Amino acid sequence: MELKSENACFGGTQGVYTHKSRATGTDMTFGLFLPPEARDGMVPVLWYLSGLTCTHENAMTKAGAQAWAAEQGLALVFPDTSPRGPGVADDEAFDLGQGAGFYVNATEDPWARHYRMWDYVTEDLPELLFDTFPLDPERQAITGHSMGGHGALTIAMTLPERFRSVSAFAPICHPTASDWGQKQLTAYLGDDQEAWDAHDAAFLMRERGFDGPMLIDTGTKDQFIDLLMPETLMQEVGQRRQQAVMRLQPGYDHSYFFVASFMEEHVAFHAEALYA
């Protein structure tokens, strides 16, 4: 692992690191914010998964999360959204290829060789982090925006024993039923509908739910709301009687202005679960 940068931030430290990933077979970059409490012992961890076209840097610099994480004594992890570099498959479209890993393990060419973002986020990067930094593996939570909200919800429902809470900002809720989601799932996973279902938050809510609190915000002016389909997840939450707060925020769009506006509430929501 190589330290790329380190800055004092709200009494703690914001670092950026690169490492060789077993999962993707490439160099990967991530950001890690450590609150002041990390100098004295292990701290809880909040994972933040970013959306389409983003790197580790977008949320790290735009979401305003460090101020609230420092107040609550939480570490923040900002992974990248895909493998990158020479020899890594890409596409001219913004919603496929580099910057658009969709947090799945691709099985189809040309993506299968490097696009194993599920393993990267759930196995490879956690192993490195918990071996290297004072992070408490027993106190983890996860959140994300858009494609990252999709990743946060599907990972949390698949690995409920790992995460005490989950939240999302404008998540892609039902990709198997939207033209947008079907494009990526077909490209990465082929025509196997069962493989698709494992990465669909509405389907996973129907089949599994989540044994913990859930918070989801979506803006009513979100320009992608017809592709996000929040109503499908709301319906499954109601059918399952899952403990969840799902809010449509009037006037907000899909931007980081929206994310930053509600970040304090999301961090406080996770802190309550992590310190319970």
Side-chain angles (χ1 to χ4, degrees), residues 128-212:
L128 174 68
L129 290 174
F130 292 118
D131 283 347
T132 309
F133 299 99
L135 307 177
D136 187 350
E138 300 301 319
R139 291 186 292 168
Q140 297 187 64
I142 191 167
T143 188
H145 174 223
S146 191
M147 178 185 73
H150 139 82
L153 291 171
T154 57
I155 288 171
M157 283 188 275
T158 304
L159 303 172
E161 69 286 349
R162 184 177 299 187
F163 300 100
R164 295 194 183 184
S165 53
V166 59
S167 75
F169 301 87
I172 301 169
C173 294
H174 195 23
T176 63
S178 75
D179 292 342
W180 196 9
Q182 290 171 3
K183 172 185 176 181
Q184 287 86 12
L185 294 173
T186 301
Y188 291 138
L189 302 176
D191 297 323
D192 183 357
Q193 295 283 331
E194 187 173 339
W196 291 15
D197 288 344
H199 298 283
D200 186 301
F203 179 83
L204 290 173
M205 178 57 64
R206 184 187 317 149
E207 295 297 311
R208 302 184 183 190
F210 177 70
D211 187 20

Side-chain angles (χ1 to χ4, degrees), residues 194-230:
E194 187 173 339
W196 291 15
D197 288 344
H199 298 283
D200 186 301
F203 179 83
L204 290 173
M205 178 57 64
R206 184 187 317 149
E207 295 297 311
R208 302 184 183 190
F210 177 70
D211 187 20
M214 179 178 290
L215 172 63
I216 299 171
D217 282 311
T218 304
T220 61
K221 298 293 186 181
D222 192 306
Q223 57 269 46
F224 302 112
I225 197 165
D226 290 338
L227 298 172
L228 304 177
M229 303 177 70

